[in-house]
Amino acid sequence: MLGLVVIAAFAAMATMTLGIWVESIVAGVPSLDELTPVNQGANSVVYAADGTRLGFIQSDVARTPIAMNAIPTDLQNGTVAIEDSRFYEHGAVDPEGIVRAALNNLEAGH
């Protein structure tokens, strides 16, 4: 019985800690009114894994805006499959992926 109480207490503390962490993240998110569209005319800067700049990609060559209906459905589905193979299962918010990313960040010290 005492073991169950201890487990319940740890679960409650973990839930509260997670809630406080999520609340702190949400508090730092800007409102939608503050967000501005990305200037597609800007050059892209390419960085190496160590943070050194490798070069630039000129936007007039690398970026061509295309309407969503002009992109073939197979290409859209392929992109989703590569980026997040379980996208249609979790409906855009992946709790498992969030926990995995948090653990990876903790392990990396970030």
Side-chain angles (χ1 to χ4, degrees):
M1 181 66 175
L2 180 61
L4 290 176
V5 171
V6 170
I7 290 172
F10 276 115
M13 288 186 341
T15 302
M16 288 188 307
T17 302
L18 180 63
I20 291 169
W21 177 70
V22 168
E23 182 65 30
S24 69
I25 297 295
V26 170
V29 174
S31 71
L32 291 178
D33 296 334
E34 296 176 26
L35 299 177
T36 57
V38 174
N39 178 4
Q40 294 296 324
N43 292 332
S44 296
V45 181
V46 180
Y47 292 97
D50 65 355
T52 59
R53 189 177 67 214
L54 295 176
F56 297 94
I57 299 174
Q58 299 296 322
S59 64
D60 57 342
V61 173
R63 295 183 182 154
T64 304
I66 298 174
M68 189 67 147
N69 61 3
I71 301 173
T73 304
D74 288 341
L75 180 57
Q76 293 177 30
N77 292 335
T79 302
V80 170
I82 289 170
E83 292 296 323
D84 186 355
S85 61
R86 297 181 311 110
F87 177 80
Y88 295 110
E89 295 171 23
H90 57 68
V93 177
D94 185 6
E96 180 184 323
I98 293 169
V99 171
R100 184 176 56 248
L103 291 175
N104 286 339
N105 288 343
L106 287 173
E107 288 176 1
H110 299 146

